[in-house]
Amino acid sequence: MKILPCLSIWILAQCAYTLAETTDTTEGTDTTSTTTTTTSDTTSGYIVVTSETSVAVPTGDYITYTTTEIVSSTELNATATSNATTSTTATDVVLVGTGSSSNSTATSSSTSATNTQACNGYTEFCERKYSNITMVTAHNSPFVKKNSVAANQDYKVTQQLNDGIRMVSFEAHYYEDDIYLCHTSCELLNMGTLEAYLTTVTKWIKKNPYDVVTILIVNSDYVSPSNFSAPIQNSGLVDYAYEPWKIPMSLDDWPTLSDMILTGKRAVIFMDYEADQAEYPYLLDEFSQMWETPFSPLNRSFPCTVQRPTGISTTQANNRMYMANHNLNLEIVFDDIDILIPDSAQINVTNAVSGYGSLGVMANNCRSDWDRPPNFLLVDYYNDGNFAGSVFEVAADMNNVTYSGDCCGTSSDAVKVNSIITLSLTIAVLTTLLSYLV
């Protein structure tokens, strides 16, 4: 009889690892009280608790700059006045850099040349500032694994970039004297080293010379940024890394995509906590230059309010880029275990162009609230929606361009379907075992 309690405890521990979707809670969290609604699913026998607020919010130390630092006046002048033109003899395309700061549909202001080369997939983007484009972000990009509820995407990063993803985000953990990409814990889901992942990203960047890619590193263990320099350098990404001319960069300080492409600095690398731009100028502090809407949302209304960094004014928010977190989570409460997993069952609505809880509605609400669209739309399973590529349709609408509709990879629902089955079976086993203890 003593075996059952021990077995139950072991399975509960494994369940916590296997089912966990508390993506960034290892960063350090401030658990808050929430108003919850509890329902019982008589089919599976487990309790589902939904909430109108996030269960936990990462509470790392945010960097606050009281003054700005001009790093390079030379780059400032080049960014502000660039009107360079380049052409490739192989395809006879022309790329024009103008330094335009338009907040709407960009048009060429050059009389000497007309741009014929797309930047990030659209010719209209070439003359727009980096901070004036809405990009789709693959939340937890590396976490692709069948039959794991810790997965967030169906396709690996090369396919993500091929399909139109232009920002990738991921958790990074200090593990076995290196930086690994692990979901919550390296015992739960370990997708290998940061260096290996960045090497793959760099290969794609090298093969696609007219694209600007953004990387958002979640420094889950709050380790020194020095731990990230070797992976960035060894992968070759440092050769493409953009180094701002000013710390921090305000909304209007960013260069145009064509300027970044012409200089070859086409990878923007952000880190959420512990960045030191003075020491590592290519590793940008996220929250002094970008804010985010509520983290790990459970609320299907997806409010477009500032959650991180805390305490910034409306004026400050208006002067920074922002990311709309639109990855809906499901909270599971069983006994004393409280975990979050991606709400895959509603992904076709969550990633849809329209309808309550959709990405399209949130993006439009954000545009209305802040008089400008989000810079980044963070989503799970980007390839799913009310149609393949619906998230890119939303981004195109925010950018006032026409989406080509060419998406996405090879169709597969195995990850999500099997994850839901695995979840139900695990809960059922726990219920049976725990009944012996009552």
Side-chain angles (χ1 to χ4, degrees):
M1 293 298 294
K2 292 181 179 180
I3 295 177
L4 277 176
C6 293
L7 183 60
S8 298
I9 291 171
W10 179 84
I11 292 179
L12 282 170
Q14 295 304 309
C15 181
Y17 278 126
T18 303
L19 302 180
E21 171 57 17
T22 52
T23 305
D24 288 310
T25 56
T26 52
E27 296 176 10
T29 59
D30 178 19
T31 302
T32 58
S33 60
T34 58
T35 302
T36 59
T37 301
T38 304
T39 58
S40 178
D41 188 328
T42 56
T43 302
S44 62
Y46 59 85
I47 297 172
V48 177
V49 178
T50 56
S51 171
E52 290 304 308
T53 58
S54 296
V55 175
V57 178
T59 56
D61 294 328
Y62 303 112
I63 297 175
T64 301
Y65 292 93
T66 56
T67 60
T68 58
E69 178 183 354
I70 303 299
V71 179
S72 171
S73 59
T74 301
E75 187 170 352
L76 166 61
N77 293 332
T79 300
T81 62
S82 172
N83 193 29
T85 302
T86 185
S87 63
T88 61
T89 56
T91 58
D92 196 31
V93 295
V94 177
L95 180 63
V96 181
T98 64
S100 170
S101 60
S102 169
N103 287 322
S104 184
T105 304
T107 56
S108 175
S109 60
S110 172
T111 57
S112 59
T114 300
N115 180 55
T116 60
Q117 172 60 47
C119 302
N120 279 24
Y122 297 91
T123 56
E124 296 94 330
F125 289 177
C126 296
E127 296 181 29
R128 295 193 200 179
K129 287 182 178 290
Y130 170 84
S131 55
N132 183 35
I133 298 171
T134 299
M135 309 176 206
V136 180
T137 302
H139 175 229
N140 278 341
S141 163
F143 303 133
V144 179
K145 190 169 185 177
K146 289 185 177 181
N147 302 324
S148 173
V149 292
N152 293 94
Q153 302 296 337
D154 276 336
Y155 305 122
K156 294 183 179 180
V157 66
T158 298
Q159 187 63 55
Q160 294 171 14
L161 294 169
N162 285 340
D163 285 339
I165 292 293
R166 287 299 173 268
M167 183 192 208
V168 293
S169 74
F170 50 82
E171 285 184 62
H173 291 261
Y174 188 77
Y175 179 69
E176 296 184 347
D177 299 324
D178 203 347
I179 298 296
Y180 279 79
L181 306 182
C182 303
H183 198 287
T184 303
S185 162
C186 288
E187 285 75 22
L188 168 62
L189 181 59
N190 186 337
M191 298 307 294
T193 64
L194 173 62
E195 183 174 323
Y197 175 85
L198 292 182
T199 297
T200 301
V201 172
T202 303
K203 287 180 180 177
W204 191 93
I205 292 174
K206 186 176 182 179
K207 291 180 180 179
N208 295 270
Y210 297 104
D211 286 276
V212 176
V213 175
T214 304
I215 298 102
L216 173 57
I217 301 173
V218 176
N219 185 4
S220 299
D221 298 330
Y222 292 101
V223 296
S224 166
S226 62
N227 293 285
F228 295 85
S229 61
I232 292 173
Q233 292 179 22
N234 294 340
S235 66
L237 185 62
V238 69
D239 295 334
Y240 300 95
Y242 175 73
E243 296 184 10
W245 58 271
K246 180 181 176 184
I247 304 175
M249 297 279 279
S250 65
L251 195 63
D252 292 332
D253 291 330
W254 292 91
T256 63
L257 289 198
S258 60
D259 291 330
M260 300 173 78
I261 290 168
L262 290 172
T263 60
K265 300 304 181 180
R266 302 183 286 111
V268 182
I269 311 170
F270 288 104
M271 177 178 284
D272 61 347
Y273 298 108
E274 305 300 323
D276 182 354
Q277 288 187 229
E279 183 70 20
Y280 305 97
Y282 51 78
L283 204 53
L284 282 60
D285 173 59
E286 178 192 2
F287 292 118
S288 64
Q289 297 162 109
M290 183 197 314
W291 56 266
E292 293 188 17
T293 64
F295 169 85
S296 287
L298 297 169
N299 186 348
R300 289 191 64 215
S301 68
F302 292 103
C304 205
T305 53
V306 179
Q307 185 186 67
R308 294 187 294 171
T310 56
I312 65 171
S313 66
T314 301
T315 300
Q316 289 173 316
N318 280 326
N319 205 29
R320 302 179 191 182
M321 297 186 294
Y322 73 102
M323 179 161 68
N325 287 311
H326 198 82
N327 55 310
L328 185 64
N329 293 276
L330 179 68
E331 184 183 6
I332 303 295
V333 177
F334 185 88
D335 199 50
D336 292 329
I337 297 176
D338 187 351
I339 57 179
L340 299 178
I341 65 171
D343 192 347
S344 303
Q346 298 192 75
I347 198 70
N348 62 322
V349 176
T350 302
N351 286 354
V353 172
S354 61
Y356 178 73
S358 69
L359 181 66
V361 168
M362 181 190 193
N364 276 292
N365 287 342
C366 289
R367 179 166 56 182
S368 176
D369 291 348
W370 294 95
D371 199 29
R372 59 188 173 99
N375 297 92
F376 306 101
L377 303 172
L378 183 141
V379 300
D380 286 331
Y381 301 113
Y382 73 90
N383 52 294
D384 279 349
N386 61 314
F387 60 87
S390 57
V391 296
F392 298 112
E393 177 72 41
V394 173
D397 178 60
M398 294 299 104
N399 288 314
N400 198 18
V401 295
T402 302
Y403 174 55
S404 66
D406 185 17
C407 185
C408 300
T410 303
S411 178
S412 172
D413 292 324
V415 173
K416 293 176 287 301
V417 173
N418 289 338
S419 295
I420 294 171
I421 293 173
T422 301
L423 171 61
S424 299
L425 289 175
T426 305
I427 294 295
V429 170
L430 287 171
T431 303
T432 301
L433 286 172
L434 289 176
S435 67
Y436 284 98
L437 304 178
V438 178

